[in-house]
Amino acid sequence: MVRWEPGAPDRLQQAALELFATRGYEETTAAEIAQAVGLTERTFFRHFKDKREVLFRGQDHLVKAALQGVNAAPEQATPMEVLTSALQAITSAFSDERRPWSRTRQQVIDRNPALQEREQHKLSILAATIAEAMAARGVAAPTATLAARSGIAAFEVAFLRWIADGEQRPLTVIIKDVLDELRALLR
Amino acid sequence: MVRWEPGAPDRLQQAALELFATRGYEETTAAEIAQAVGLTERTFFRHFKDKREVLFRGQDHLVKAALQGVNAAPEQATPMEVLTSALQAITSAFSDERRPWSRTRQQVIDRNPALQEREQHKLSILAATIAEAMAARGVAAPTATLAARSGIAAFEVAFLRWIADGEQRPLTVIIKDVLDELRALLR
């Protein structure tokens, strides 16, 4: 029988991030993460495929938010309006309470090329999801791909600003500025 | 004593791509790649760290091209002009003779998530390289990052069009169209 562990995924995730940040990602084992919160390695692997996935638990949520964002745009919306709706939905998923976690997570990723590859893959899946959903709404496929990929590039830039030291503005505000800057840049 | 193998890396690369495409990436070993062109596994590992790197041999060349492109822009160039110079340099590296290779390589990558992660990482390094080189020229860091990431997003879209069935235009022409479309999209 599987024992019910209240909040086990959250506790494992928090402990993992702390260990990754202080001791190093490579140096931390799943058993040590579990031990840090009084759980067994078996419990860890009931919740996560491997220790890397602890850092990518939010991916499905972001993909869902992106899809909802695309579909929330009015029927007659321009491709840019659809993209903006998707980006608003994605950035809304990053609450200000989450900022310290996101900041530490990024520091861990920045130190490990394999994690950087995984992170880029996540963003690429997010872009592909938006592109497909836009195309399903009738946006021409090349336009949808271009909009989605550029939109995710803007998201990456906005996200890096959001986690910068001293930055106070919410991500939903920063993304608007970044899109304005992109417009000005291309002019 | 190391025997000199004329053109060994090129021959290994070609054989690897053919095996990856016909038999599957996971199913192909370094020994089999070497054997296909009458070389030993040891020779394979003299040239490539592992079989994955066979598909990413051009990365250093692209990074160099990007840097040259950034530095080739006139001193008073706008950020957009610097980015365009970088993108022209990168896309010039993809000659029309290389198109069938690039097309097959992409098919192999599309079938393997680990290769997709590696490819996204390559593009992310390329974007970071351009951003740093632009910042070194005096472009404000946030603008440089935004320009580089959006530019690489445009490159990815242009590249996918370049390898599409029936596409005849050179990549250097397609990238200009994509940048124009991005401008129109954001308007």
Side-chain angles (χ1 to χ4, degrees), chain B:
Chain B
M1 216 186 98
V2 172
R3 226 169 14 137
W4 184 66
E5 309 283 1
D10 285 346
R11 285 158 60 208
L12 287 165
Q13 199 181 22
Q14 194 59 45
L17 188 65
E18 274 164 32
L19 286 168
F20 293 164
T22 53
R23 188 185 304 183
Y25 173 76
E26 291 293 355
E27 289 69 23
T28 303
T29 67
E32 286 165 340
I33 296 165
Q35 201 179 14
V37 286
L39 296 171
T40 65
E41 192 179 5
R42 250 186 89 194
T43 304
F44 179 91
F45 286 113
R46 259 208 309 277
H47 295 292
F48 300 102
K49 200 185 73 182
D50 52 42
K51 69 174 176 179
R52 192 174 76 156
E53 290 316 299
V54 176
L55 295 171
F56 296 94
R57 203 184 152 202
Q59 177 172 333
D60 293 347
H61 181 62
L62 279 189
V63 165
K64 262 183 224 156
L67 284 175
Q68 283 169 358
V70 169
N71 295 323
E75 209 180 323
Q76 297 308 319
T78 63
M80 188 59 201
E81 285 163 351
V82 178
L83 175 66
T84 304
S85 180
L87 289 175
Q88 280 300 315
I90 292 171
T91 53
S92 297
F94 294 83
S95 67
D96 276 353
E97 297 82 63
R98 201 174 147 174
R99 197 172 336 209
W101 156 273
S102 292
R103 191 176 281 145
T104 307
R105 176 181 175 279
Q106 191 64 40
Q107 286 162 359
V108 171
I109 287 177
D110 284 346
R111 283 192 224 114
N112 189 300
L115 293 178
Q116 288 162 28
E117 290 183 21
R118 178 68 182 80
E119 177 76 349
Q120 288 300 318
H121 183 58
K122 181 185 89 177
L123 293 167
S124 160
I125 286 177
L126 204 51
T129 304
I130 295 173
E132 273 172 44
M134 286 180 79
R137 283 179 60 112
V139 176
T143 306
T145 303
L146 182 61
R149 291 208 183 248
S150 314
I152 291 302
F155 167 74
E156 284 186 75
V157 172
F159 179 82
L160 292 177
R161 289 196 201 165
W162 182 64
I163 59 170
D165 279 339
E167 177 60 60
Q168 303 276 332
R169 293 170 302 160
L171 187 51
T172 48
V173 169
I174 298 174
I175 188 73
K176 283 183 202 154
D177 280 6
V178 171
L179 289 173
D180 283 345
E181 284 167 45
L182 185 55
R183 245 173 237 120
L185 179 77
L186 289 166
R187 216 172 280 141

Side-chain angles (χ1 to χ4, degrees), chain A residues 18-39:
Chain A
E18 275 163 32
L19 287 167
F20 293 164
T22 53
R23 188 186 302 182
Y25 172 78
E26 291 291 355
E27 289 70 23
T28 303
T29 67
E32 287 164 342
I33 296 165
Q35 202 179 14
V37 286
L39 296 173

Side-chain angles (χ1 to χ4, degrees), chain A residues 54-130:
Chain A
V54 177
L55 295 171
F56 295 94
R57 201 183 153 203
Q59 177 173 332
D60 293 348
H61 181 63
L62 279 190
V63 165
K64 263 182 222 156
L67 284 176
Q68 282 168 357
V70 169
N71 295 323
E75 209 180 323
Q76 297 307 320
T78 64
M80 189 59 202
E81 285 162 351
V82 179
L83 175 66
T84 304
S85 179
L87 290 174
Q88 280 300 316
I90 292 171
T91 52
S92 297
F94 295 82
S95 68
D96 276 353
E97 299 82 63
R98 199 172 150 176
R99 198 173 335 210
W101 155 272
S102 292
R103 191 176 280 142
T104 308
R105 177 181 174 279
Q106 192 65 40
Q107 286 162 359
V108 172
I109 288 178
D110 284 348
R111 284 193 222 114
N112 187 300
L115 293 178
Q116 288 162 29
E117 290 184 19
R118 178 69 182 80
E119 177 76 348
Q120 288 301 318
H121 184 55
K122 181 185 89 177
L123 294 167
S124 158
I125 286 177
L126 206 52
T129 303
I130 296 173

Side-chain angles (χ1 to χ4, degrees), chain A residues 117-178:
Chain A
E117 290 184 19
R118 178 69 182 80
E119 177 76 348
Q120 288 301 318
H121 184 55
K122 181 185 89 177
L123 294 167
S124 158
I125 286 177
L126 206 52
T129 303
I130 296 173
E132 272 173 43
M134 287 179 78
R137 282 178 60 112
V139 176
T143 306
T145 303
L146 181 60
R149 291 208 182 247
S150 314
I152 291 302
F155 167 75
E156 285 186 75
V157 172
F159 179 83
L160 293 176
R161 290 197 201 163
W162 182 64
I163 60 170
D165 279 340
E167 177 60 59
Q168 303 275 331
R169 293 170 302 160
L171 187 51
T172 49
V173 169
I174 299 175
I175 188 74
K176 283 183 201 153
D177 281 6
V178 171

